[in-house]
Amino acid sequence: MSSPIVKLIAQRVALGILLLFAVSVLIFAGTQILPGDVAQSILGQSATPVSLANLREEMGLNDPAYVRYFRWLFGILQGDLGTALTSKLDIATSIKGRLWNTLFLAFWAAVVSIPLAIILGLLAVRYRNGPVDKLISGLALASTSVPEFFIGYLLVYFFAVKFQVFPGISTVYDGMPFLEKMKAIALPATALTLVVLAHMMRMTRAAILNVMQSAYIETAELKGLTAFEIIWKHAFPNAIAPIINVVMINLAFLVVGVVVVEVIFVYPGMGQYLVDHVAKRDVPVVQAVGLIFAAVYIFLNVVADVASILANPRLRHPK
Amino acid sequence: MSDELSYLSMRVASGRLSRREFLGRAAALGVSATFANGLLSTAVQAAGPVKGGTLKAGMQGGTSTDSLDPATWQSQVPAMLGWQFGDGLVTLSPTGEIVPRVASEFSSSPDAKTWTFKIRKGVTFHNGKDVTPQDVLATLERHSDEKSKSGALGLMTGIASMKVDGDTVVIGLKEANADLPYLMGDYHLMIQPNGGKDNPTEGISCGPYKVVANEPGVRHVLEKYDGYYNADLGHASTIEIIVINDATARISALQSGQVNMINRVEPKIVDLIKRVPGVTIRTASGRGHYVFINHCNTAPFDNLDLRLALKYAMNRQEMVDRILMGYGSIGNDIPINKAYPLFADDLEQRSFDPEKAAAHYKKSGHSGSVLLRTSDVAFPGAVDAAQLYQQSCAQAGITVEVKREPGDGYWSEVWNKQPFSTSYWGGRPTQDQMYSTAYYSKADWNDTRFFNEKFDQMLLVARAELDNTKRKGIYRDMATILQAEGGLISPMFNDYIDATGPGVEGWVEDPNYELSGGYALQRCWLAA
């Protein structure tokens, strides 16, 4: 591996870390400007000036904001996300199971949707402007245009209520047999697949079509290669960077954007957890979840950028 | 033909024929499904409870912030969970009588100031230890501690002394209270080992079920506790509460058989759900009511004529028909209805009267519009209700401006702060408690700012009165004052609407709470 590529990657990773710090400042500042403070929201209606003062003292709220920020940040760097105000439980412990559930669902949705989207994209390009392309694009557009809760309800209506093949609510728990777990997440995973499929498939199609205009594709055609060989061997590798980008954005969505799907299917993931704690004004939890979501987002974007750098032949083979 | 059917239904009841097969044969004999189901239900009831199996409830009202500490319980899921694994001194029967639980009997001194609860022998905690009077005392102490954040703290303020005397717990009151046993039935007061002073969140009490899995906001699994003293309660060997806050998901879970019962069916879809085979709608008229609140001490509502104008301009029947879809009953500007034991039903019913409203409005001298604040969270359909009210007021020449407030912060910024708003009350087990919580001048939640010395005095007199006939009379007089002068406009009492799936038997209509007074999971069983 040559030096410019290592340097670029190192720069990109460093930028990601810097960004994460910036986000942590924003999250902290954002929760500070909420009306009332944490002590006020814990005590609620029963707050008296004395109990407020005691609680502020106890929680260290009297220190200046920057002191509290760094205390919070160092805690996180040591893996300590703090304690939830409402349940007094360690946040890191409670989040672990939830995060795992969300990742589990996202993983299976990705395993189905990414290959499917790319294959459909390739097919659409192969038979471009023909009936196959129109059918694929049409269905994909239809599934993105419908809001995800509606897709969810449709799936529940047909597969859980009418034909009763899959459960309509997806409560998973520790120690649940793997096959049952897969059955439980079948519908939410399908809903998510339908939501992200179209975006990835359309981007794949557009990116490859873009490459197809290049002169070397014409050369390949003149060489007498079949349409599929041209697309697979020549167009696809050169379109990989934008495809990875859109795949990563959708992966990020699968982790951080599934609140609605989780609520509909009663899936015990991060989204549900965040919603519950926002409603109770449990600021430390909201901060922790916000930071985790930001980290996932930034990480996946860095991965996408690094992958595009690696996929760039000019960088891989410098003159 | 019907001989054959009753024979078959008995076979189902004894578990020798499946329900599905029975319904199939009934259909083959040309009997309607409703009739067949009715027949089956009678046979199954007659055969007695079926032991074993798993009973699941899908419920709204749980979040991942829920805790097993009884002091913190507020919403439906923790309360329901508590009723299954916990047991208090006493509880309320569906008809409003006090039923002994951990206390086998109780009595009071003639002046209703000293109460003695005899602790039942042979009751054990889920960890195998005996429930002692000391545990009971410690529980009461924990919930009456000034610093505790217990939801029952308000109930305990009247207690002056508590002590253990042999196998009894003796409670001394600051002032006489004939209703004390009702207060002891509160669901926060579940008896815990050493009162939960050591570890309130361990989930150990002495109810018919013990907690085996506790995932707040997701699900709670409980198993039958073999050591429970009363064999009549708790038929299923496992019960499960699954948190399903989304109304559509709850219905579909019931339809697909993933759960056997659900709470909170929305009134507007009840008629649709009724058509689903096997699903039964269970309603109970409880004490919960929806309210429009005037602050009696804040202009312009400090004017009695304006308050009366606003009361006469309320079309109560329309509210029940259109907001509750008929699943409720009309209110009468008092927080009390026939679900209370000492309710006087001869109070005159106030009805929609635009002319009277207009006359009082004119007399009040008020002009311009009246600002009513509301929000979706005030009660289901609150915004629609406010708009209906706006129209009925317009008929009396009163202009109401409806302001829709965000649900977020409604309870901290609008309710009990702004002079005219919408809200709801879940009701309390006794009139004394309802009035003491919200209409006594010194009440924490006097959300109508009702300060009436005479009313206060009568409340205290009634509280000390052990003669029920006399008490009923006092409560009637109090209701008359409140109806005439108070700031409460109560258009309707809402029914609890729950639903059960196929095979759920043993349901008891109970006005005390949702899902058969909170006891559905231990009262019901699954027929074959």
Side-chain angles (χ1 to χ4, degrees), chain B residues 400-473:
Chain B
V400 172
E401 187 191 334
V402 174
K403 186 169 179 206
R404 186 178 181 162
E405 300 274 0
D408 211 49
Y410 187 77
W411 300 111
S412 54
E413 306 301 325
V414 180
W415 171 73
N416 215 3
K417 293 244 165 82
Q418 299 295 342
F420 194 21
S421 65
T422 58
S423 172
Y424 79 96
W425 278 97
R428 291 290 187 272
T430 64
Q431 297 196 42
D432 177 68
Q433 242 187 306
M434 188 65 235
Y435 286 135
S436 316
T437 315
Y439 300 92
Y440 181 56
S441 348
K442 291 176 198 150
D444 292 336
W445 289 327
N446 186 351
D447 61 6
T448 53
R449 304 290 187 270
F450 181 64
F451 305 106
N452 187 308
E453 224 170 280
K454 204 171 151 209
F455 184 89
D456 286 358
Q457 279 166 4
M458 289 161 94
L459 181 66
L460 298 181
V461 172
R463 188 181 290 168
E465 180 58 66
L466 284 169
D467 181 343
N468 277 345
T469 324
K470 283 189 194 158
R471 270 185 106 186
K472 195 171 166 177

Side-chain angles (χ1 to χ4, degrees), chain A:
Chain A
M1 218 36 81
S2 51
S3 68
I5 204 164
V6 173
K7 199 178 148 204
L8 267 175
I9 292 174
Q11 269 178 353
R12 189 61 195 82
V13 172
L15 193 66
I17 293 172
L18 202 67
L19 197 59
L20 194 55
F21 276 108
V23 170
S24 78
V25 174
L26 278 180
I27 290 175
F28 189 81
T31 49
Q32 295 306 306
I33 54 176
L34 283 174
D37 69 353
V38 182
Q40 180 83 48
S41 56
I42 296 177
L43 292 171
Q45 278 177 323
S46 59
T48 62
V50 180
S51 61
L52 266 179
N54 288 344
L55 194 62
R56 284 207 182 101
E57 182 65 35
E58 188 189 314
M59 299 180 68
L61 291 178
N62 294 329
D63 297 329
Y66 70 92
V67 174
R68 279 180 287 130
Y69 169 72
F70 281 111
R71 204 188 290 138
W72 178 64
L73 190 67
F74 283 123
I76 289 167
L77 290 177
Q78 290 160 8
D80 173 18
L81 293 175
T83 341
L85 300 175
T86 42
S87 54
K88 302 276 184 295
L89 294 175
D90 181 50
I91 296 175
T93 328
S94 351
I95 281 188
K96 216 163 66 190
R98 297 277 184 162
L99 186 60
W100 172 247
N101 282 346
T102 291
L103 292 178
F104 184 77
L105 179 60
F107 174 78
W108 288 107
V111 162
V112 178
S113 60
I114 295 173
L116 196 61
I118 290 176
I119 291 170
L120 288 177
L122 292 175
L123 279 176
V125 173
R126 168 66 186 81
Y127 301 107
R128 60 182 169 276
N129 302 328
V132 174
D133 180 22
K134 293 213 166 100
L135 182 73
I136 294 174
S137 297
L139 287 180
L141 277 179
S143 81
T144 1
S145 319
V146 178
E148 57 211 80
F149 71 86
F150 190 69
I151 295 183
Y153 285 149
L154 280 183
L155 289 173
V156 168
Y157 178 71
F158 284 106
F159 295 102
V161 175
K162 210 144 189 194
F163 305 117
Q164 310 211 346
V165 275
F166 292 114
I169 51 172
S170 314
T171 30
V172 295
Y173 49 90
D174 280 347
M176 195 174 185
F178 180 74
L179 275 179
E180 247 180 74
K181 222 172 183 171
M182 292 305 286
K183 210 175 159 188
I185 66 159
L187 294 186
T190 311
L192 286 177
T193 300
L194 289 176
V195 171
V196 296
L197 189 64
H199 189 203
M200 289 194 285
M201 176 254 144
R202 299 276 301 171
M203 279 304 285
T204 308
R205 181 179 178 276
I208 297 176
L209 277 181
N210 199 20
V211 175
M212 295 292 274
Q213 323 258 319
S214 317
Y216 61 85
I217 298 292
E218 211 170 321
T219 315
E221 271 168 17
L222 292 173
K223 269 200 307 194
L225 293 182
T226 64
F228 241 143
E229 275 174 324
I230 292 170
I231 294 170
W232 183 244
K233 287 196 176 143
H234 296 276
F236 182 65
N238 288 295
I240 201 108
I243 294 175
I244 289 178
N245 248 316
V246 71
V247 164
M248 288 302 160
I249 286 176
N250 281 291
L251 266 184
F253 171 82
L254 287 179
V255 177
V256 307
V258 297
V259 178
V260 175
V261 170
E262 285 188 359
V263 169
I264 290 173
F265 290 98
V266 201
Y267 188 77
M270 294 286 278
Q272 186 90 58
Y273 185 74
L274 177 64
V275 169
D276 286 350
H277 286 82
V278 167
K280 290 271 168 70
R281 293 275 189 282
D282 199 330
V283 176
V285 176
V286 176
Q287 286 176 335
V289 176
L291 198 63
I292 289 175
F293 279 179
V296 168
Y297 217 89
I298 291 172
F299 171 75
L300 289 174
N301 272 296
V302 169
V303 170
D305 287 356
V306 169
S308 347
I309 293 169
L310 289 176
N312 188 336
R314 280 194 205 103
L315 287 170
R316 260 186 296 147
H317 308 288
K319 280 180 192 152

